[in-house]
Amino acid sequence: MSILIDENTKVVVQGITGHDGSFHTRGMREYGTQVVAGVTPGKGGLDLEGVPVFNTVAEAVRETGANASVIYVRAPFAPDAIREAAHAGIELVVAISEGIPALEMARVLREVTPLGTRVVGPNSPGLISPGKCKIGIMPGAIHAPGKIGVVSRSGTLTYEMVWQLSQHGLGQSTCIGIGGDPIIGTCFLDVLRLFKDDPDTEGVVLIGEIGGSAEEEAAAYISQEMRKPAIGFIAGRTAPPGKRMGHAGAIISQGRGTADEKVRALEAAGIAVARVPAEVGPLMKQALGAA
Amino acid sequence: MSILIDENTKVVVQGITGHDGSFHTRGMREYGTQVVAGVTPGKGGLDLEGVPVFNTVAEAVRETGANASVIYVRAPFAPDAIREAAHAGIELVVAISEGIPALEMARVLREVTPLGTRVVGPNSPGLISPGKCKIGIMPGAIHAPGKIGVVSRSGTLTYEMVWQLSQHGLGQSTCIGIGGDPIIGTCFLDVLRLFKDDPDTEGVVLIGEIGGSAEEEAAAYISQEMRKPAIGFIAGRTAPPGKRMGHAGAIISQGRGTADEKVRALEAAGIAVARVPAEVGPLMKQALGAA
Amino acid sequence: MNVHEYQAKEIFGRHGIHVLEGRVVRTAAEARQAAAALGGPVVVKAQVHTGGRGKAGGIKLASGPEEAEAKATDILKLSIKGFPVRKLLVTPAVEIEHEYYVGAILDREDGLPLMMVSGEGGIDIEEVAAKTPEKIHKLHFDPDHGLRAFQARELAHKIEPNGRQALGIATLLVKLSKAFLAAGASLAEINPLVRCADGTFLALDAKLNLDDSEVALRKDLEALRDPDGSGGHTDKAREFGLSYIPLEGDIGCVVNGAGLAMATMDLVKHFGGDPANFLDIGGSSSPAKVVAALEILTADKHVRVILFNIFGGITRCDHVAEGIVAALEQTHIELPIVVRLTGTNEGRGREILEESGAAIFAGTMEEAVQKAVALAAGTEVKG
Amino acid sequence: MNVHEYQAKEIFGRHGIHVLEGRVVRTAAEARQAAAALGGPVVVKAQVHTGGRGKAGGIKLASGPEEAEAKATDILKLSIKGFPVRKLLVTPAVEIEHEYYVGAILDREDGLPLMMVSGEGGIDIEEVAAKTPEKIHKLHFDPDHGLRAFQARELAHKIEPNGRQALGIATLLVKLSKAFLAAGASLAEINPLVRCADGTFLALDAKLNLDDSEVALRKDLEALRDPDGSGGHTDKAREFGLSYIPLEGDIGCVVNGAGLAMATMDLVKHFGGDPANFLDIGGSSSPAKVVAALEILTADKHVRVILFNIFGGITRCDHVAEGIVAALEQTHIELPIVVRLTGTNEGRGREILEESGAAIFAGTMEEAVQKAVALAAGTEVKG
């Protein structure tokens, strides 16, 4: 099994006729993903290598039964694309687009969440259930089917970690990049809950970064609710301190947000933290053996 | 019994130190309403003839347990007052204020309805459960406790009808003026549902006006769901036709909205319609006898 | 409040909607100059606060300046549905490829603004709506943000098969919804919206109705009011916060509350009389308002009797009585005044009037109306 | 993106927040003129993109024009936290009755903007927050409308016991929230907000941080960028869509993705090396971007080795390889280049580089970093 997407997921690609959209549509189909429709406003009626193109997501859903969408449109138009997908009844919207202003994303999420739509991203590499379905831009070949769930705020760092896992024979149930922006839809906690309930996920790798307090909250959740082994990695231990967000930033962060603080929180929750990417595989093997 | 308000209702008056607010606070207290608090921003700490004044509704609720509010503040500030009451957890907000732009009222209702707040009005005379509680501006003396529920889009026309009923010995369970504005909170249907379920309401008087299609919908509801006798009255049979709302008005009204159409709809639903106000009492007596 | 076509176009234009350059003129000579300045054939359009201008002869095509002057002369003589034509809009004539209907309105039943569109616009749109309602497409939109771009595309693709042209309509719909919200309007309509030979879209006509409550709070909207748009009486009424509509009858009605005012007029008719007006003195009355109401009614030469029907709530009966007495002191009113006063401060109001001996009392609305009808018919009535 | 105090004040002022009239100057002579024009005692304030100016000697009181010139001379010699002072703001000195703290920030955990206020403002606000958190009051607000008037009053009454003055603060809070939203900001802060002797409220300082994504979409915000605010390298980086932060080390890093870039730097440190920079070439790479990245790194004289760590997704390994080859063709690069390429079009990328023979290959991130560290240390490494 896997979470969120599998061989039955039917994907509509928003922005399918664009540069990135058409390139990655090909990549997704080569991986075996059911790409049932594309949407580009004003270009309805086209056929893109066998994928029918519609003017609106509503029409695409009506005609093809698409239940997931992936968004490759540019930042100025991406919020409207997410709204359109949600109002058309799409359950899972994967927003690859980067550069969406954070406040606008806050507005979008406030509007679409009550509609029952789950947004992954924005600024996300997407997600993949190896061997079943890939939605996004990650290189499919580095993944292997298996029982490790991977959740990450990064893009390419996730590929690195997945590649490490695969090299050690640790296949993945589902790998999700939740996106690196300040305001995102699906968060660590949401994904951890799904991995917890997925019988085929036996261990979890959590890849964090400096900034925010999502890793600290994830650590608290894992220590209280998860019975599955988890391995952490935090990027940015040696990063220069970010530009100060005035006093307000200091007041709300209350000292959280540094790599050291995140590592401490994870270790306090009993989660082994890899010091270098190459440690992730061995640590996970060790944890699975001990579990 | 009665609907919405009774002797246990605790009222906070928003705009209590204003001209209308102070005048009608006196009127409500003389009638026996539990006015537990007043709110005027910046004037917290005052005591108005024994009623404590607070800066915010939240504080008034915290300190006095108020569960209903009545709003006498002027139109530019009334939307904020309604929002404040709803966010402070007030269940019933009675908006007397007139002149709130309809679009702004649409925004207000969209925001406060999910909070579980019922708004009566705006541009409403308020509501009264005779002998128990009066919230609003109606002259209390014309009412009598009893078993007739009255719901109306008008202000003074309601007084006229209630006075007619009282003259005929037909007391009222609750009388509600839902307000004459295009966009209002509680509508005919909402009130009819409450009257239907109130064991002590034995008959209903529905007072409508030209414009909109609320009376037509009420007629349909009464014929399908209500087992209690109902009497109707429609004002505006001889009114000059309103200014045309372009083609759009004609397209959405589809011929509904005239007094004749409303009378037809009510009569088709088996509801006797009084031709003149003086007929309401006799018609209700007749209907109660037949029921 | 209605605004004129030229004003609506100015507002729509400010929101990026393509409208024709036009000139507002008040005389036939100005119409000639305007046509000359614009060049080519023009359309001369009456600017009045009512629909049906075309059928009434208020819109004419003219091939050039001379014909424009002649047509303007004709149109300026018209009175359309009681509105004398005092202004004209002169615009270039355009080649039309297709006519659409687009309009935004506040849907009071659902409490949200609604966008309506049709691929079959023009003067017969109401017939289209009645006979083939499936050709009208509707979508509610957010009262904060207006129509979302994706919603606009959904509507536009339903009325225009060509993808590129549908996107042009969608862009316009978003702008129209924003103009509607920015003006706090109750209606913003373009009929017809036309597609020109070059593929652009143009608002050939424009209609904008404003929410009176919004106008009362905003100076920019109040400035759009046409002083010529209605008679002097309603201006005075507005100044004093009275809602006044003159009619043809002889019984001048002064009532508090719109519903009771309509019910009073209905009752006048019921008893065989004819109301001279609708006049609602509103909620929080003052003596000054009552004086103003009496001045407006006595200025109407048709009025033979004045009928007060007051059921006090916020309105205080003593204020109304004081107003009547004050008006009688200021001006000599010969007309009989029938007064019904019930509700807040009723006793004090009666006292004031009884002291002055100015009015004929009635205990009920029925009695008051019957007395007024009899007086208007010339029958003797006892006070 | 940070903007200067004087720019923030201009924006806040446009939203109706009371700010002191001030003059932005670049020389001590101009500071003298500004002080003379303003009259009375003035405050001379360094305009740099960092906090802690006061403690660093960047804010000085001057009794008049001459002292203002002297203070300006001193401040213009300063470099505060690495930012040389190039502009000064000269404002009148004011009598302060009380200092408050007010700030709006985007709360990423709850996904909503947050207003924070305290009755104890000033430079010690962070200590107040740490030691007596109950003195900081917070309320989320609507990202469309800003703080509602009633929310503003709830906050204001908590930090100011006087009713009338609390209403003054409440009005200001609504304006601050609207300024925050209108600028698409990540932070809008006034510390201290001061109450003057006459009971008015004044933004004595102002801080505004913008969302880079918002800036990228809006010309009005881009115009606020200070060309003096940072070195020439980051301007070039921005032009090519690169995210670049120079550091002190000698290993120039070129990575795709911020997370992998940080992990690469961490690994450099782990193996005893010292990164010369953070450089993320971003998602959709092109050869031109890679050329620009190499130009920036080779301009940094500390750099002794260049390390590419590319894991292709949207980034195509062949594009990166083409960029390296193009850069080598355009300019002579003497530095060793260690390259790790994995992912999308990896095979083609390797081919291109192998043909040119320009780079030292590494199969893994660890191997690449180790080779780079060894090269920087002067150890021989085999390609």
Side-chain angles (χ1 to χ4, degrees):
Chain A
M1 259 184 45
S2 53
I3 65 167
L4 293 172
I5 60 170
D6 58 25
E7 57 274 26
N8 299 314
T9 304
K10 292 182 177 176
V11 179
V12 50
V13 179
Q14 293 180 252
I16 193 167
T17 57
H19 180 266
D20 289 346
S22 57
F23 178 77
H24 290 289
T25 296
R26 222 166 287 130
M28 291 190 287
R29 294 184 79 197
E30 281 164 12
Y31 195 76
T33 304
Q34 282 197 61
V35 177
V36 298
V39 169
T40 297
K43 298 203 176 166
L46 285 186
D47 177 292
L48 207 92
E49 301 173 16
V51 179
V53 178
F54 298 93
N55 284 316
T56 67
V57 178
E59 202 184 345
V61 168
R62 209 161 47 234
E63 298 294 326
T64 68
N67 57 7
S69 113
V70 57
I71 295 178
Y72 292 103
V73 306
R74 288 190 300 120
F77 310 106
D80 187 65
I82 300 173
R83 289 189 173 97
E84 177 173 7
H87 285 278
I90 295 283
E91 294 155 27
L92 177 71
V93 175
V94 183
I96 307 300
S97 316
E98 57 184 319
I100 301 177
L103 265 171
E104 180 61 7
M105 199 58 214
R107 294 185 191 106
V108 168
L109 290 174
R110 205 175 52 140
E111 177 175 339
V112 306
T113 307
L115 299 173
T117 296
R118 177 191 295 277
V119 176
V120 170
N123 193 9
S124 155
L127 70 169
I128 182 168
S129 292
K132 297 171 183 166
C133 181
K134 159 183 148 169
I135 302 183
I137 60 174
M138 67 286 289
I142 59 171
H143 298 80
K147 312 224 159 188
I148 305 300
V150 178
V151 57
S152 169
R153 276 166 70 185
S154 302
T156 47
L157 178 55
T158 316
Y159 311 162
E160 180 68 42
M161 303 307 263
V162 165
W163 188 72
Q164 295 279 354
L165 290 170
S166 296
Q167 301 279 83
H168 282 88
L170 294 163
Q172 304 91 41
S173 53
T174 304
C175 305
I176 305 184
I178 59 174
D181 278 4
I183 303 288
I184 52 171
T186 302
C187 67
F188 276 140
L189 241 56
D190 299 323
V191 177
L192 290 175
R193 285 197 188 97
L194 294 170
F195 279 142
K196 174 182 175 249
D197 293 336
D198 176 35
D200 274 11
T201 296
E202 294 181 355
V204 172
V205 174
L206 185 145
I207 302 157
E209 280 178 17
I210 50 170
S213 62
E215 291 81 1
E216 286 86 335
E217 285 161 23
Y221 177 81
I222 292 172
S223 83
Q224 285 159 31
E225 305 284 340
M226 290 261 290
R227 295 282 159 271
K228 301 179 181 182
I231 302 299
F233 182 83
I234 302 292
R237 294 182 186 211
T238 61
K243 286 159 198 157
R244 268 170 61 95
M245 288 287 278
H247 296 289
I251 293 171
I252 69 161
S253 72
Q254 299 280 15
R256 293 170 305 181
T258 66
D260 283 348
E261 169 58 31
K262 288 176 191 298
V263 170
R264 244 195 313 279
L266 288 166
E267 289 182 341
I271 303 159
V273 179
R275 313 282 303 177
V276 301
E279 276 182 22
V280 164
L283 281 176
M284 178 54 85
K285 278 195 172 166
Q286 203 177 318
L288 285 172
Chain B
M1 262 188 42
S2 53
I3 64 167
L4 293 172
I5 60 170
D6 59 26
E7 57 274 25
N8 299 314
T9 305
K10 291 182 178 177
V11 179
V12 51
V13 179
Q14 293 180 253
I16 192 168
T17 58
H19 180 266
D20 289 347
S22 57
F23 179 77
H24 290 289
T25 295
R26 223 167 283 129
M28 290 191 287
R29 295 184 80 197
E30 280 163 12
Y31 195 76
T33 304
Q34 283 196 61
V35 178
V36 298
V39 168
T40 297
K43 296 201 177 168
L46 285 186
D47 176 293
L48 208 94
E49 302 173 14
V51 179
V53 178
F54 298 93
N55 284 317
T56 67
V57 178
E59 201 185 347
V61 169
R62 208 160 47 232
E63 298 294 325
T64 69
N67 57 8
S69 113
V70 57
I71 294 177
Y72 292 103
V73 305
R74 289 191 299 120
F77 311 106
D80 187 64
I82 300 173
R83 289 189 173 99
E84 177 174 6
H87 284 278
I90 294 282
E91 294 155 25
L92 176 71
V93 175
V94 183
I96 308 299
S97 317
E98 56 183 321
I100 301 177
L103 264 171
E104 179 61 7
M105 200 57 214
R107 294 184 191 107
V108 168
L109 290 174
R110 206 176 51 140
E111 177 175 339
V112 306
T113 307
L115 299 173
T117 296
R118 178 191 294 277
V119 176
V120 172
N123 192 10
S124 155
L127 70 169
I128 181 169
S129 292
K132 296 172 185 163
C133 182
K134 158 183 147 167
I135 301 183
I137 61 175
M138 66 288 287
I142 60 172
H143 298 80
K147 311 225 159 189
I148 306 299
V150 178
V151 57
S152 168
R153 277 166 68 186
S154 302
T156 49
L157 178 56
T158 316
Y159 310 163
E160 180 70 41
M161 303 307 262
V162 165
W163 188 71
Q164 295 278 355
L165 290 171
S166 295
Q167 300 278 83
H168 283 88
L170 293 164
Q172 305 91 41
S173 54
T174 303
C175 305
I176 305 184
I178 59 174
D181 279 4
I183 303 288
I184 51 172
T186 302
C187 66
F188 276 139
L189 241 57
D190 298 323
V191 177
L192 290 175
R193 286 197 187 98
L194 294 170
F195 279 142
K196 173 181 175 251
D197 294 334
D198 176 36
D200 275 12
T201 296
E202 294 182 355
V204 172
V205 175
L206 184 147
I207 303 157
E209 280 179 16
I210 49 171
S213 63
E215 291 81 0
E216 286 85 336
E217 285 161 23
Y221 177 81
I222 291 172
S223 84
Q224 285 159 31
E225 305 286 338
M226 292 263 288
R227 294 285 158 273
K228 301 177 180 182
I231 303 299
F233 181 83
I234 301 293
R237 294 181 186 215
T238 62
K243 289 159 196 156
R244 267 170 61 96
M245 287 287 278
H247 296 289
I251 293 170
I252 68 160
S253 72
Q254 299 279 17
R256 293 169 307 180
T258 67
D260 283 349
E261 169 58 30
K262 287 175 191 299
V263 170
R264 245 197 312 278
L266 288 166
E267 289 181 340
I271 302 159
V273 179
R275 313 282 301 178
V276 301
E279 276 181 21
V280 164
L283 281 176
M284 179 54 84
K285 279 196 171 166
Q286 204 179 315
L288 286 172
Chain C
M1 184 177 100
N2 284 315
V3 303
H4 287 301
E5 174 192 359
Y6 73 90
Q7 295 171 312
K9 283 185 172 174
E10 204 179 293
I11 290 169
F12 291 179
R14 243 181 276 146
H15 282 86
I17 292 173
H18 186 190
V19 292
L20 278 181
E21 177 202 14
R23 311 280 168 105
V24 181
V25 301
R26 289 174 164 270
T27 65
E30 285 174 10
R32 182 197 188 98
Q33 289 163 15
L38 292 168
V42 296
V43 180
V44 183
K45 305 171 88 173
Q47 300 294 290
V48 285
H49 284 318
T50 183
R53 293 174 300 170
K55 287 175 184 160
I59 301 180
K60 297 280 186 195
L61 182 68
S63 59
E66 268 166 59
E67 205 179 340
E69 182 170 11
K71 295 291 164 79
T73 306
D74 294 346
I75 297 173
L76 282 167
K77 286 179 191 152
L78 295 177
S79 177
I80 302 176
K81 295 186 186 167
F83 291 86
V85 180
R86 296 202 175 96
K87 288 184 197 171
L88 303 170
L89 178 63
V90 183
T91 62
V94 287
E95 287 252 19
I96 294 168
E97 222 177 49
H98 191 83
E99 295 193 343
Y100 309 82
Y101 169 87
V102 301
I105 194 169
L106 181 61
D107 176 2
R108 43 196 289 174
E109 308 310 326
D110 289 297
L112 285 174
L114 184 74
M115 184 64 76
M116 298 194 284
V117 302
S118 177
E120 304 193 2
I123 53 169
D124 295 327
I125 183 65
E126 288 179 35
E127 206 179 306
V128 171
K131 292 194 181 156
T132 49
E134 72 279 5
K135 288 185 179 166
I136 311 276
H137 303 277
K138 303 173 191 175
L139 210 53
H140 285 114
F141 61 90
D142 187 298
D144 287 315
H145 303 285
L147 201 67
R148 298 288 189 189
F150 79 88
Q151 294 181 302
R153 293 193 300 266
E154 278 174 18
L155 284 173
H157 284 299
K158 283 180 180 159
I159 62 170
E160 172 53 60
N162 178 291
R164 204 178 50 80
Q165 289 172 357
L167 293 187
I169 294 175
T171 306
L172 178 136
L173 290 177
V174 170
K175 290 171 183 168
L176 181 63
S177 75
K178 289 196 194 290
F180 172 89
L181 294 180
S186 43
L187 171 84
E189 190 175 72
I190 302 175
N191 186 38
L193 168 70
V194 302
R195 190 178 71 235
C196 306
D198 64 356
T200 58
F201 294 91
L202 191 64
L204 211 60
D205 195 358
K207 193 163 183 59
L208 183 65
N209 289 349
L210 302 178
D211 177 344
D212 290 333
S213 296
E214 184 82 19
V215 175
L217 301 179
R218 282 171 53 177
K219 282 187 188 146
D220 64 323
L221 298 179
E222 181 57 45
L224 297 171
R225 191 182 297 282
D226 184 353
D228 298 343
S230 51
H233 291 332
T234 48
D235 288 343
K236 175 161 198 158
R238 192 168 47 248
E239 185 189 330
F240 282 88
L242 309 171
S243 177
Y244 173 70
I245 302 171
L247 297 168
E248 311 289 312
D250 53 11
I251 299 177
C253 303
V254 185
V255 190
N256 65 323
L260 188 61
M262 287 194 286
T264 305
M265 292 159 68
D266 291 350
L267 204 61
V268 166
K269 280 266 188 188
H270 180 81
F271 286 120
D274 220 352
N277 63 281
F278 168 95
L279 197 162
D280 170 14
I281 59 169
S284 44
S285 60
S286 69
K289 270 189 170 182
V290 177
V291 171
L294 279 170
E295 282 173 9
I296 290 168
L297 290 196
T298 51
D300 178 352
K301 294 307 162 205
H302 297 110
V303 172
R304 303 189 58 191
V305 56
I306 291 171
L307 164 63
F308 275 82
N309 184 19
I310 304 297
F311 210 124
I314 276 196
T315 308
R316 302 192 200 172
C317 293
D318 54 336
H319 280 178
V320 175
E322 281 169 18
I324 295 173
V325 171
L328 290 172
E329 278 167 7
Q330 283 166 34
T331 51
H332 181 65
I333 297 180
E334 297 224 350
L335 303 172
I337 302 178
V338 181
V339 178
R340 184 272 183 124
L341 283 180
T342 308
T344 309
N345 295 8
E346 164 182 346
R348 179 79 198 114
R350 271 182 166 261
E351 274 169 38
I352 293 167
L353 281 181
E354 271 162 12
E355 274 167 32
S356 79
I360 300 158
F361 271 109
T364 68
M365 178 170 164
E366 272 77 8
E367 188 192 331
V369 169
Q370 282 172 315
K371 280 183 174 170
V373 170
L375 282 163
T379 319
E380 194 83 11
V381 170
K382 279 172 193 162
Chain D
M1 185 178 98
N2 283 314
V3 304
H4 287 301
E5 174 192 359
Y6 74 90
Q7 295 171 314
K9 283 185 171 173
E10 203 179 293
I11 290 169
F12 291 179
R14 243 182 274 145
H15 282 85
I17 292 172
H18 187 189
V19 292
L20 279 181
E21 178 202 10
R23 311 280 169 104
V24 181
V25 301
R26 290 175 163 267
T27 66
E30 284 174 12
R32 181 197 188 97
Q33 290 163 16
L38 293 168
V42 297
V43 181
V44 183
K45 307 171 89 174
Q47 300 293 289
V48 284
H49 285 317
T50 182
R53 293 173 299 168
K55 287 176 185 162
I59 302 180
K60 297 282 183 193
L61 182 67
S63 58
E66 268 165 59
E67 205 180 337
E69 182 169 9
K71 296 290 165 82
T73 306
D74 292 347
I75 297 174
L76 282 168
K77 287 178 190 153
L78 295 177
S79 176
I80 301 176
K81 294 185 187 170
F83 291 87
V85 180
R86 296 201 175 100
K87 288 184 197 170
L88 303 170
L89 178 63
V90 183
T91 62
V94 287
E95 286 250 21
I96 294 168
E97 225 177 48
H98 190 83
E99 296 194 342
Y100 309 83
Y101 169 87
V102 301
I105 193 168
L106 182 61
D107 175 1
R108 42 196 290 177
E109 307 311 326
D110 290 297
L112 286 174
L114 184 74
M115 184 65 76
M116 297 194 284
V117 302
S118 177
E120 303 192 2
I123 52 168
D124 294 330
I125 183 65
E126 288 177 35
E127 205 179 308
V128 172
K131 293 193 181 158
T132 50
E134 71 279 5
K135 288 185 180 165
I136 311 275
H137 304 277
K138 304 173 190 173
L139 210 54
H140 285 114
F141 62 89
D142 187 298
D144 287 316
H145 303 284
L147 201 67
R148 297 290 189 188
F150 78 89
Q151 294 181 303
R153 293 194 301 268
E154 278 174 17
L155 283 174
H157 284 299
K158 283 180 181 158
I159 62 169
E160 172 52 61
N162 178 291
R164 204 177 50 79
Q165 289 173 357
L167 294 187
I169 295 175
T171 306
L172 179 137
L173 290 177
V174 170
K175 289 171 182 167
L176 181 63
S177 74
K178 289 195 193 293
F180 172 89
L181 294 180
S186 44
L187 171 83
E189 189 176 70
I190 301 175
N191 187 37
L193 168 69
V194 302
R195 190 178 72 234
C196 305
D198 64 356
T200 58
F201 294 91
L202 191 63
L204 210 60
D205 196 358
K207 193 162 183 60
L208 184 65
N209 289 350
L210 302 177
D211 177 344
D212 290 333
S213 297
E214 184 82 20
V215 175
L217 301 178
R218 281 171 55 178
K219 281 189 188 144
D220 63 326
L221 298 179
E222 180 57 43
L224 297 172
R225 190 183 298 282
D226 184 354
D228 299 342
S230 50
H233 290 331
T234 49
D235 287 345
K236 174 159 200 165
R238 191 167 49 248
E239 187 192 328
F240 283 88
L242 308 172
S243 178
Y244 172 69
I245 301 171
L247 297 168
E248 311 291 311
D250 53 10
I251 299 178
C253 303
V254 185
V255 190
N256 66 325
L260 189 60
M262 287 193 287
T264 305
M265 292 159 67
D266 291 351
L267 203 61
V268 167
K269 280 266 188 189
H270 181 80
F271 285 119
D274 220 352
N277 64 282
F278 168 95
L279 198 162
D280 170 14
I281 58 169
S284 43
S285 60
S286 69
K289 271 189 172 184
V290 177
V291 171
L294 278 170
E295 282 173 8
I296 289 168
L297 291 196
T298 49
D300 178 351
K301 294 306 164 207
H302 297 112
V303 172
R304 302 190 58 191
V305 55
I306 291 171
L307 165 63
F308 275 82
N309 184 18
I310 303 296
F311 211 125
I314 277 195
T315 308
R316 303 193 200 170
C317 293
D318 53 338
H319 280 178
V320 175
E322 281 169 17
I324 295 172
V325 171
L328 289 173
E329 278 169 7
Q330 283 165 33
T331 52
H332 181 64
I333 297 180
E334 298 226 348
L335 301 174
I337 301 178
V338 180
V339 178
R340 184 270 185 124
L341 282 180
T342 308
T344 309
N345 295 7
E346 166 183 341
R348 178 82 197 108
R350 272 184 166 261
E351 275 171 37
I352 293 167
L353 280 182
E354 272 164 11
E355 275 169 32
S356 80
I360 300 158
F361 271 109
T364 69
M365 177 168 165
E366 272 77 8
E367 188 191 331
V369 169
Q370 282 173 315
K371 281 185 176 171
V373 170
L375 282 164
T379 319
E380 194 84 10
V381 170
K382 281 174 190 162

